[in-house]
Amino acid sequence: MTVRLSADICTTETTYGTVLLDQRNGEYWELNPTGTLVVRTLLEGGDEEDAVDALMAEFDIDRSQAARDVVALTEQLRASGLAA
């Protein structure tokens, strides 16, 4: 399943990860390098499985942990209204 950020969400990569700004209410979230890789993969057209593969390639984690991380992040993005 693909994930897209809502139109009112701006992203900026920093030294420490990525900041997501919700222009509707001024709230922002800071993603660590793991979250940054997941969001970048999704924004570049990948799906959740692609994000799992990217995490496994970049970090020393197994598939089940990578899948849990991707699901947790995408669920939080959707629940907060940042993504569809």
Side-chain angles (χ1 to χ4, degrees):
M1 176 183 302
T2 59
V3 175
R4 294 178 316 161
L5 293 179
S6 299
D8 295 320
I9 307 304
C10 294
T11 65
T12 301
E13 290 199 24
T14 69
T15 305
Y16 305 105
T18 298
V19 174
L20 306 176
L21 172 64
D22 187 341
Q23 296 180 75
R24 299 168 292 195
N25 58 22
E27 292 182 0
Y28 68 94
W29 289 261
E30 186 173 354
L31 302 176
N32 63 19
T34 303
T36 295
L37 180 57
V38 170
V39 168
R40 183 183 312 131
T41 301
L42 298 172
L43 293 178
E44 290 175 352
D47 61 15
E48 291 180 5
E49 282 301 311
D50 294 323
V52 169
D53 291 339
L55 286 180
M56 290 175 52
E58 183 70 23
F59 302 101
D60 187 24
I61 60 174
D62 61 32
R63 178 165 292 282
S64 63
Q65 180 63 56
R68 285 191 302 271
D69 291 347
V70 169
V71 168
L73 179 58
T74 56
E75 285 178 353
Q76 289 177 335
L77 291 171
R78 287 184 181 112
S80 65
L82 297 175

